[in-house]
């Protein structure tokens, strides 16, 4: 997909990976809408993008992705601002083993509702223009980690849910494709966690000391690879200190998605 002249909606866009993606999309000529629960940072980051690229390039909407009504309303507002949506990045997420019901609401429900709204507004067979939907999982959505078991469960849910949509046999009519972003630890506010947010914080910090953290730009690079590769559908874009790679999942008649 050529990014110039396209439109995108990003959740969790106020900081971290979401903001990195917003900035990269705006730099490539995409008009963007940022949804986030943190209004101050959201407004400031959008103002900076508009200062750089011109008024109207970016729009911020305060939205708690755990509230389906808010998300539905913001998608409608985004379509009226953008005209239509080509790219949706369901990225908002957190790690809260000590408040796991809320974490499940953000990491799973927020992605499920965000994906369903994206399909509804984007599918060609119902008046949309098609496009790509990318959901943020994690390396921990592919490889279990004892340090935060419920977080891992939410990310496995995102990976499985997104792959299931990617294996939908009617995607051609809808003009949609899907991808999942699976980075290891990325240097964002996410990593400035309080110990009670993890089950085994000491052990995770030791693990982190061994492998180090990725810069946000590496996660953004992985996102852009999926968005720009029109042949990519069902890719788990794995981003680690060893590099960026994705297993293209092939849709084989009668067998669903099979790893290459
Ligand atoms: N940082 C990492 O180590 C890492 C690694 C792999 C995957 N991830 C995933 O990447 C995604 C982005 O994380 P990040 O590292 O950029 O963290 P971050 O904390 O810097 O950014 C997350 C953003 O999501 C927003 N958010 C949180 N709850 C929300 C809600 N209910 N509604 C709307 N917005 C909400 C936050 O306000 C914040 O702006 C998350 O899904 C996370 O699980 C992070
Ligand atoms: C505070 C919790 C942060 C969780 C962030 C993220 O979603 C999960 C990351 C999962 C793992 C990162 C930590 C260790 C990775 C261990 C090995 C990765 C090696 C990858 C490789 O280079 O092969």
């Amino acid at each position: 997909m050529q990014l110039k002249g396209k439109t995108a909606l990003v959740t969790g866009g106020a900081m971290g990976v979401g903001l990195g993606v917003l900035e990269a999309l705006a730099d490539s000529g995409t008009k963007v809408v940022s949804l986030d629960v943190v209004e101050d940072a959201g407004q400031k980051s959008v103002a900076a993008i508009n200062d750089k690229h011109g008024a109207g390039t970016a729009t911020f909407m305060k939205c708690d992705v755990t509230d389906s009504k808010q998300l539905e309303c913001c998608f409608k507002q985004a379509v009226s601002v953008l005209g239509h949506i080509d790219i949706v990045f369901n990225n908002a997420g957190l790690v809260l083993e000590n408040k796991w019901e809320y974490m499940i609401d953000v990491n799973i429900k927020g992605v499920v509702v965000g994906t369903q709204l994206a399909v509804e507004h984007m599918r060609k067979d119902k008046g949309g223009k098609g496009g790509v939907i990318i959901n943020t999982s994690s390396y921990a959505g592919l490889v279990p980690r004892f340090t935060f078991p419920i977080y891992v469960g939410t990310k496995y849910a995102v990976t499985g849910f997104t792959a299931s949509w990617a294996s939908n046999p009617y995607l051609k009519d809808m003009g949609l494709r899907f991808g999942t972003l699976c980075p290891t630890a990325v240097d964002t506010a996410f990593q400035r966690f309080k110990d009670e947010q993890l089950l085994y914080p000491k052990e995770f910090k030791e693990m982190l000391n061994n492998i180090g953290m990725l810069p946000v730009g590496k996660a953004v690079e992985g996102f852009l690879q999926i968005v720009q590769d029109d042949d990519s559908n069902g890719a788990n874009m794995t981003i680690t200190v060893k590099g960026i790679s994705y297993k293209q999942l092939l849709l084989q008649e009668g067998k669903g998605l099979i790893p290459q």
Side-chain angles (χ1 to χ4, degrees), residues 138-139 145 151 184-185 190-191 193 204 207 211 240-242:
S138 162
Y139 191 81
R145 294 277 167 226
Y151 174 80
T184 56
F190 204 87
Q191 290 296 338
F193 54 83
F204 179 70
M207 198 193 288
I211 66 142
T240 75
V241 290
K242 292 176 186 168

Side-chain angles (χ1 to χ4, degrees), residues 7-47:
T7 64
L9 178 149
V10 174
T11 72
M15 59 184 90
V17 171
L19 177 55
V21 163
L22 270 180
E23 289 167 343
L25 289 170
D27 287 348
S28 305
T30 305
K31 203 171 171 191
V32 297
V33 166
S34 169
L35 306 186
D36 204 297
V37 73
V38 174
E39 185 156 21
D40 184 42
Q43 291 290 11
K44 280 185 182 151
S45 52
V46 153

Side-chain angles (χ1 to χ4, degrees), residues 3 82 119 141 172 188 192 227 231 233 235 256:
L3 293 175
L82 300 171
V119 170
K172 214 175 175 77
T188 68
R192 260 79 76 201
V227 166
D231 295 328
N233 177 44

Side-chain angles (χ1 to χ4, degrees), residues 197-240:
Q197 289 176 244
L198 273 64
L199 197 56
Y200 293 96
K202 180 171 76 62
E203 291 82 346
F204 179 70
K205 288 172 193 169
E206 285 160 9
M207 198 193 288
L208 220 44
N209 287 336
N210 293 334
I211 66 142
M213 286 196 273
L214 298 163
V216 169
K218 274 296 168 201
V220 173
E221 203 179 313
F223 173 89
L224 292 175
Q225 268 196 38
I226 303 178
V227 166
Q228 291 172 309
D229 177 1
D230 288 329
D231 295 328
S232 155
N233 177 44
N236 287 326
M237 175 58 77
T238 307
I239 306 154
T240 75

